[in-house]
Amino acid sequence: MPESPMRILFVAAHPDDIEFVAGSAAVWTALGHQVTYCLVTDGAAGSNKPDEDLAQLVHTREAEQLAAAKMVGVEDVRFLGYPDGTLQPALELRRGLTRLIRELRPYRVVISDPTAVFVGNFYVNHPDHRAAAEAALYAVFPSAGARPIFPELLAEGLEPHDVSELYLQFTDHPDMVVDISSVIDQKIQSLLCHKSQLGEEVVEMVRGWDAETGKEKGYAFAESFKVMKLKQDEAQEQAVSEAPVPAE
Ligand SMILES: [Zn+2]
């Protein structure tokens, strides 16, 4: 079992991406875990209006993100400030995420699925989502745990750290669900903090998705992930063998 409380790090491209799985964040903070959000881009591409003040939009979206995090008990929010819309999974970004992982030393890291390109037959996954996810994935492994990678981080006093669990959101291949029935209202309020991006229409849409996700397990509402167990200790191996389809 992980130490209690567990440290959990979410990494996403845009302010509002994490809120689609903020029910899980709410469940985990209620359990006493220490949750950090990291937003890679500044969200400045979140408007198509010709006269939009994009510098002001960055401030608005930061404030919305902080409020959304607070709604589910998350106080630690990091903004890396990359330009929205043109993100690349470059080494500089991987180094920055490696630095954050070594600083926080999370047991669990939550990213989106970097392999998702086509979602159903109606949505092309945003390239920023894939770029942030790819950089975070390779920050988790191998960069965070490998002493020779990014030696400049050792000079900053940041020792290697092995992440135990990787959760993928926005995936077509989920293998576990988190029961969010008790926190669905908190999740919806968290989403609605992003007033510049989301309107009331998100309420029924997300409730519908999460009800569908919960159906198989008999949960009123749930969120799904693909889970990678990167560090298998004996206790975990036993837990996995006793519960082939784990749920929380
Ligand atoms: Zn996004």
Side-chain angles (χ1 to χ4, degrees):
M1 285 298 287
E3 308 153 39
S4 191
M6 201 195 305
R7 266 195 185 277
I8 302 171
L9 170 65
F10 286 72
V11 179
H14 308 122
D16 82 3
D17 291 346
I18 296 172
E19 278 57 53
F20 289 87
V21 289
S24 297
V27 167
W28 296 335
T29 57
L31 288 170
H33 299 317
Q34 295 171 355
V35 177
T36 297
Y37 288 177
C38 174
L39 288 310
V40 174
T41 79
D42 62 11
S47 170
N48 235 2
K49 290 182 202 150
D51 58 349
E52 184 78 45
D53 179 344
L54 297 181
Q56 180 53 47
L57 182 61
V58 170
H59 292 300
T60 302
R61 296 197 69 184
E62 266 197 33
E64 290 172 349
Q65 181 62 75
L66 290 171
K70 211 177 174 80
M71 192 63 74
V72 294
V74 176
E75 302 283 346
D76 187 14
V77 183
R78 314 293 180 98
F79 298 95
L80 300 189
Y82 282 79
D84 185 359
T86 52
L87 193 67
Q88 288 287 307
L91 282 178
E92 185 204 4
L93 174 56
R94 197 208 293 183
R95 182 193 297 110
L97 292 168
T98 302
R99 177 183 285 115
L100 185 61
I101 291 167
R102 289 194 188 178
E103 176 202 328
L104 296 171
R105 311 184 79 73
Y107 183 90
R108 177 181 300 161
V109 174
V110 184
I111 66 175
S112 73
D113 181 346
T115 68
V117 178
F118 301 109
V119 180
N121 57 1
F122 58 92
Y123 179 61
V124 175
N125 193 13
H126 196 296
D128 287 357
H129 296 167
R130 297 189 63 219
E134 182 180 324
L137 172 64
Y138 298 135
V140 166
F141 179 86
S143 308
R147 183 166 291 276
I149 302 177
F150 302 133
E152 60 274 32
L153 297 181
L154 295 176
E156 294 175 24
L158 295 167
E159 290 295 314
H161 171 70
D162 291 322
V163 172
S164 294
E165 295 181 344
L166 184 67
Y167 278 41
L168 305 185
Q169 67 169 106
F170 289 144
T171 180
D172 273 348
H173 310 285
D175 51 19
M176 78 92 85
V177 296
V178 175
D179 180 4
I180 62 157
S181 308
S182 64
V183 295
I184 184 69
D185 292 337
Q186 246 179 299
K187 172 181 181 173
I188 296 296
Q189 290 309 313
S190 181
L191 276 159
L192 290 174
C193 288
H194 295 281
K195 289 189 184 71
S196 72
Q197 305 298 308
L198 304 169
E200 288 288 334
E201 72 284 349
V202 78
V203 175
E204 283 319 303
M205 187 177 77
V206 168
R207 288 178 67 94
W209 289 343
D210 292 356
E212 188 63 34
T213 302
K215 246 181 198 166
E216 196 186 341
K217 284 278 192 180
Y219 302 143
F221 299 100
E223 292 166 348
S224 64
F225 300 91
K226 175 175 175 58
V227 177
M228 301 280 297
K229 300 272 186 187
L230 303 177
K231 268 172 81 177
Q232 292 268 353
D233 61 27
E234 277 177 34
Q236 282 173 334
E237 276 167 16
Q238 190 159 356
V240 169
S241 71
E242 283 170 5
V245 187
E248 291 186 15

